[in-house]
Amino acid sequence: MKGIKSAAPSFLLLLALWVTTALAREITGPARTSCDASHDAPCSRVNSEWLATESAKKIAQKLILAPNDAFPEVNGGKYNMETGFYPFIFDRLTGKCMAHGANPDFVGKSLEEIFRDMGIGFSLSIDLHNRFMAAADNGGDWVQYMWREEADTEISNKIAFVTGMLDRYYIGVGYADLQLPLELPCTDKYDSWCSINNVLSLVGKAETRLNKALSIEQFEEALYEISFNEEEFVVEGGHYLFMYHYDGRLKAHAHLSRFAGEDLTYIFPQLNRDPQEGADLHTALRNAAEGAGDGWVQYPWKNTVDEPEYTKIAFVVKIVFQGEEYFVGSGYNFIMGDVVPGDYATDLANRAVAGAKNMSCPGYNLPCSFGNTLQLTSHTLSHGLSSSMDLVGVFDGITNDPQFKVGGWGYAFMYDFNGTCVAHGGVPEFVGMNASEILVAAGVMQIDGGELHDKFRQAAQMGGGYVLYDWINPGVDDKLFQKVAFIFQLTRDGRSFYGGVGLTHERAPLQRKLDTGSQKNGDPIPCSSQFGSRCSEINSQAILGQGLGDLVLASSETKVQLSNLSPLNVSIHDIFSSISAGNELYQVNDFHIMVFALDQSQCYNSSEELSPHRDESGCCVAHGANSSYVGLTWQEILDVQNITSIRGRDLHDRLVGQIDRGGHWIEYSWAQSSGGARTKIAFSSRFRDNGKSYYVMVEYFADAPPATCDACPSDMECSEHGQYFCEPKMEELKFYQTPYFIILILAIVGIPCLGVCFCWIGKKREELQNKEHLQEIDQQMQTISQQMEHQKKTASRANKLVASLFPQQVHDRIMQQIEEEAEHSTSEEENEAEDPEEQTFTKDEWNNYMRGDCTKKTPKSSSTPIADLFPGATISFADIVGFTAWSSTREPTQVFSLLENIYRRFDRVAKRMGVFKVETVGDCYVAVCGLPEKRDDHSVVIAKFAVACLNTFKVLVKELEYELGPGTGDLRLRTGLHSGPVTAGVLRGERGRFQLFGDTVNTAARMESTGLPDQIHVSQETVDLLLDSGKSHWVTIREEKVVAKGKGILNTYWLQITAADLQESSRTGSTPTDTASTVSSGLGDKHMHTNQVEVNRTDDETLRLVEWNLNIMKSALVKVVANRELQKVKVASLQHMLDLEQEFLAGGTSLNEVKEIVSLPKYAKVSFHQLTEVELDAKITEQLREYIFNLAALYNENPFHNFHHATHVTMSVVKLLSRIVAPDNVATNNGLSNPSLGEELHDYTYGITSDPLTQFAVLLSALIHDVDHPGVPNAQLVKERDPLTAMYSCSTAELNSLDLAWTLLMDGRFQDLRRAIYATEAELFRFRQMLVNIVLATDIMDKDLALLRKERWNKAFADEAVLESSLDENVNRKATIVLEHLIQASDVAHTMQHWNVYVKWNERFFFECMAAYRAGRAEKDPSENWYQGEIGFFDFYIIPLAKKLKDCGVFGVSSAEYLTYAEQNRKEWEARGKDIVAGFLQKIEKEDRREKESRRHSG
């Protein structure tokens, strides 16, 4: 059942991992035929390599013997595997596809053509043909690339094994680099189906990750990811990975990383285990990796000293890297899981008893029956997978061992594929007989045993699942009834078997009335969902079990139906409709079932259309009481009923349970906003269909059953409202309490306001009759209860926060001290007389104080300080090199995102390795080992911790570069370690915290500050401890001495843990080849020199920059599309837009296109949040990616004017645009959802905030403004009479960049992208005008353009500007000049950022100018005037420009920030510039000597 199993969901797509059956049609061999090529299961790699190799042999033979048949057979699918593996063949000479097992239409096409046909993007096919050929030349190798199987599916990584064939062709077979879906929630404590699935999923992911490593650096990164990346390689619930070298050393382990580099003979004694057991375990694991037990192994285990020993089952695969052999695996406990009983009271009792089993669940259609079936089948399979016993022992256990039986009905059976019973837990005498013989022996003649065997075997071969069939209990009633069995496949020692467990497909008996009590007339009281009783539990389980059983049988989890008794041939949607229509099978009295999809995307309404996404609280797909709820989320259903006591998301999350446990009970409060809280009890059970998850549920109130009305107390009476409850009698009113008496008085008195009084009288009478004062009390009690619950949660969170600030021992001492002070405190009057700044703290006050909350109290100074001296500890200081410069180019949110991600990873490493995090100061992370828990190996642990953090950092900054932009991957970590005595304790004061003091702390900080990036600098004291621990091979002496303040000259060392321990050796990355592929740019004839663009195989950094730019541009484009839809813009016809585009192409670009004013749209009310809710079509995203990739290829490899610089400019534009969109002096807490705020922002920013198209145009301008830059200024192009100057008389480089980028955008490949950018004539003209004005604004040397901008500035911001122009015209003029100044500032943003950023880009520009001079393309040596020229550049351009940013009034704090940096950099350059220029020249001279020496050796 991939439903309830679901426990067995993808599991049985995986069971083929150990299945050894013949490949369909011609090929036979060790293929795992049920293994799915859509994921990176462990078997995927085996199947790909095997099929490619075997197919190559047979197709080569066919090409020799019958060449006309060979390729057509491939195209016809002859060599395909049913689970998605297929071969593809290409001609090495022509690059054309010769055969394709999945898509014969590819035949005759190149990879570039195929990628374009599939909408993947031509850029992703660059050099792929060469890489395929290189793999074939290596005798067969793996190649990773981007691919999609269908034109409308997502693009993802694919990994293919490619080998040669007859020297003319290469053949490949691949699989998707996607992790197998994990089963959640799940725990590794039991051998559930989800455990089997999660183990295979983790091992497959790790195997793929390790095998993709091309260098020792990448391999090491994978090792550290396996140990420390919880998000990727640890499954919630406990599943994790381990990895060992074949020689025994531990390489990676999520729980035992502290033992990295040690072997099991060392680790086991640390866990109070015999070292010989460790050696035996390593041998068993290594044998499993070599194929014993088809990769499965059983062994005893424990993770900690105190943990009891238990049996684990693990799956292990072999990894070979650079000649070294390893194995990686994952496991789970060999313990049959518990299931929740159908009895709620029993369930409550079982929760308090560890390991309680439900042994009495009957075999009806009950949730516990399905749960028991799944737990028993997975336990049986785990038993069969064990390599610790032979098959005879396996079968004997299934037949005779009580652990393979549940209650009186549940037992496992197993048959071989030939039909012979090999194990039977119900009737052992059946062993050795086939199904037909068993039926004959039992006297059952109505069922065909052979057919039943065939169906069971078929279900097993299809990946396992449920089978519905007819059965008879001989000797009972000889009546046919339906059974359901869950069938699975086991393969051991080359033999295949199927096993299973069955249950009766029949609704459990109902109980319609209470078995005790009666009403007035003596009739039994009907069982109702309005109260909780034994009948409530019975009925809930019966109708839910029936619904669950029918849904499972209608789902994809059921593989075969072999029943003549009302076979179930409906879909789950038919059953959903039947439930909502009130089918009596799924309800009794007022009990009914409901079905919810786990998330919104899986929800279908009655017309089977996807419901719109609203929240994450599930979605109702069937409701037995109210069909109008179908299509609503839980929160919407609660809102309809005015229920406020629980959130929909919380209720949904609690109802979602583990699929193979059968279900679970929960309790929750059910109260309307008006009060009157009641408690509900619900039972839910999950199932799946075609990968979509659902849960079925039933609920009832927990109120006590009603008292019998005949026995109502004297002050109670039976309800008159159809209920069966005793309720208080109505109070009889005296005459003077009635309205009539009051009316009589009023009539006598003659008060005229009779109408008003009647209202008051009626209200008072209603209060008396309904006893509203009781309801008010109930409501007040509920409010108090809710407040107390909220306070408990708040206190819990506060305690966790405080606990995180202190070691546990210190936290306990603080609490003890508070209690002691409270006990000995003086009277309240004496306490008040004390200094108010020094009063005794309560626990709550202390927690608030330690969190930094405002309070007048500080701890009493008379109390004993909490401080200790620790004679031996090792401290680590880790600082991010380049962080200050990096952060100067980022938004504050990006800065904190970086630090949070890094520190969160470091925290996880510290927690696992027993290291205490002291604090973080800015970008410095301080940690210590050896306190507060004393340990002798503190130097070894902190050394491993430092290495783990360094490797984690290297991986993480590369990942974050996609999110945080260029330069993030260049950040480095510098670490210092020192050992010695440390004073540690709680420093009380304004914000108390745990701190370290002493010379050891200062020296550790000095080790960090005098270290080097990517190095761990270690003091002599720490090295001495490492030497004592036998780790001399971990350190090498630093050649140069270190001078430390107050300590003189020090001998220090570098920590370099070798590959033999933690593989932290010197790192070398792979260098991309220079192989180039020529592609058509699609540009016009006027650019003959760029008609063929040479695209080199790009480095990783450029690819990361492309992806970062894609994310930025995509985010802006989404808002463009959304704004158009919200404004309901009528789009122009496609042909009309194409005609307009041709006009622009024909005319080219000139300075005449530069306009003084670009008109922006007027204000239109738009919700900011709505602009981010539109999903951009995948085809548009791919076209945008390919466009950016082509732009990157059009950039020349100049030191300064290159794609990296264009990305840096774009990043500055993003920052300044964010300041325009969210100025600091305008409240923007609600985005633009407030209409008045949106209009205010529109006016404040001259309309820029209201036009997403303008923002997109500015970003694109930044990206294209230096395309094809020649590396020399325009004046030099004129002197050289470059052909471009004939087309562009001025602003040559800028106009060329604009035309190249525009012409590329007009290429037919990007038609959908253009349609997304602009869809009307007005949008096209505004977009084009923005690009022209903004790109040409980067030409700061053209005098005419400079004069035009100056005049426009004076008109826009002069006092009399409004008088000369209309208001709208002046606003648009201001917007135009603001955008032009924005791009100018961004183009030179490095001069207005941190000093290190400025020097880096200044050096690159110097090298570019010097290269031009040495090539004869500049008259003067730039070094002669570089120092003075920079000062003039600051004085006459940069600082005035920064001041104009401030004068614009729309850039918030960024304008002040830019001006401050500009002035500081100018001052710093004046002081240090000459030395820096000299350093530039020394670098050039050094490079000249290196090249000269290289030429001499090569010559």
Side-chain angles (χ1 to χ4, degrees), residues 1413-1488:
Y1413 170 71
R1414 298 173 73 173
R1417 303 190 70 186
E1419 294 180 357
K1420 295 182 180 180
D1421 184 343
S1423 63
E1424 296 176 359
N1425 194 44
W1426 195 265
Y1427 168 75
Q1428 198 61 43
E1430 283 296 293
I1431 293 177
F1433 191 50
F1434 273 111
D1435 290 342
F1436 299 108
Y1437 183 72
I1438 298 299
I1439 293 177
L1441 177 60
K1443 290 180 178 178
K1444 283 189 174 182
L1445 290 181
K1446 190 174 182 180
D1447 293 341
C1448 289
V1450 298
F1451 290 107
V1453 297
S1454 284
S1455 55
E1457 176 190 3
Y1458 275 37
L1459 179 57
T1460 299
Y1461 271 125
E1463 292 173 341
Q1464 290 176 350
N1465 288 340
R1466 195 265 187 214
K1467 184 178 180 180
E1468 192 78 9
W1469 178 262
E1470 187 174 16
R1472 300 170 55 189
K1474 292 181 179 179
D1475 292 337
I1476 290 173
V1477 174
F1480 292 167
L1481 292 172
Q1482 288 175 3
K1483 285 186 178 181
I1484 292 176
E1485 292 172 1
K1486 184 178 180 180
E1487 181 64 20
D1488 288 344

Side-chain angles (χ1 to χ4, degrees), residues 292 541 1153 1157 1281 1444:
Q541 293 288 296
E1153 280 195 69
I1157 299 174
R1281 297 183 180 180
K1444 283 189 174 182

Side-chain angles (χ1 to χ4, degrees), residues 177-400:
D177 184 15
L178 295 173
Q179 184 180 9
L180 280 159
L182 294 168
E183 296 286 342
L184 294 174
C186 185
T187 174
D188 68 341
K189 298 185 186 304
Y190 305 116
D191 52 17
S192 305
W193 283 116
C194 64
S195 292
I196 299 173
N197 179 76
N198 288 350
V199 160
L200 293 171
S201 177
L202 279 178
V203 174
K205 183 173 184 178
E207 182 186 25
T208 299
R209 177 81 166 81
L210 290 162
N211 281 315
K212 286 195 296 185
L214 301 177
S215 65
I216 185 64
E217 179 181 26
Q218 293 176 359
F219 190 74
E220 292 167 7
E221 289 174 356
L223 289 180
Y224 286 101
E225 289 283 289
I226 290 171
S227 286
F228 300 113
N229 191 338
E230 285 185 347
E231 296 176 359
E232 295 292 327
F233 292 103
V234 177
V235 180
E236 181 183 354
H239 298 95
Y240 61 89
L241 288 157
F242 57 82
M243 183 172 175
Y244 291 83
H245 192 281
Y246 257 39
D247 64 11
R249 287 169 294 128
L250 178 65
K251 310 309 298 179
H253 199 294
H255 293 307
L256 301 180
S257 56
R258 63 187 183 277
F259 294 128
E262 310 292 353
D263 61 28
L264 285 168
T265 59
Y266 171 83
I267 296 172
F268 265 47
Q270 314 305 313
L271 302 174
N272 288 346
R273 299 276 300 279
D274 188 335
Q276 184 57 45
E277 293 180 11
D280 294 342
L281 174 57
H282 179 262
T283 300
L285 292 170
R286 187 174 60 187
N287 290 341
E290 289 289 346
D294 294 311
W296 294 91
V297 60
Q298 182 183 113
Y299 55 94
W301 186 250
K302 61 191 302 187
N303 275 320
T304 64
V305 174
D306 300 328
E307 189 176 42
E309 188 173 290
Y310 48 88
T311 301
K312 287 188 78 78
I313 290 181
F315 180 75
V316 186
V317 297
K318 182 178 180 179
I319 302 292
V320 179
F321 179 76
Q322 294 187 355
E324 298 289 325
E325 294 177 316
Y326 311 83
F327 58 80
V328 62
S330 180
Y332 56 88
N333 296 0
F334 181 49
I335 301 173
M336 181 175 169
D338 301 330
V339 296
V340 176
D343 187 322
Y344 181 59
T346 303
D347 177 49
L348 289 177
N350 285 354
R351 295 181 193 181
V353 181
K357 291 281 192 297
N358 170 38
M359 304 299 292
S360 60
C361 182
Y364 291 107
N365 256 357
L366 289 170
C368 59
S369 303
F370 284 102
N372 282 340
T373 296
L374 289 171
Q375 298 287 19
L376 185 52
T377 51
S378 61
H379 187 59
T380 303
L381 176 61
S382 295
H383 172 68
L385 294 175
S386 171
S387 59
S388 61
M389 62 179 69
D390 58 19
L391 284 174
V392 174
V394 169
F395 299 148
D396 181 68
I398 296 172
T399 300
N400 300 309

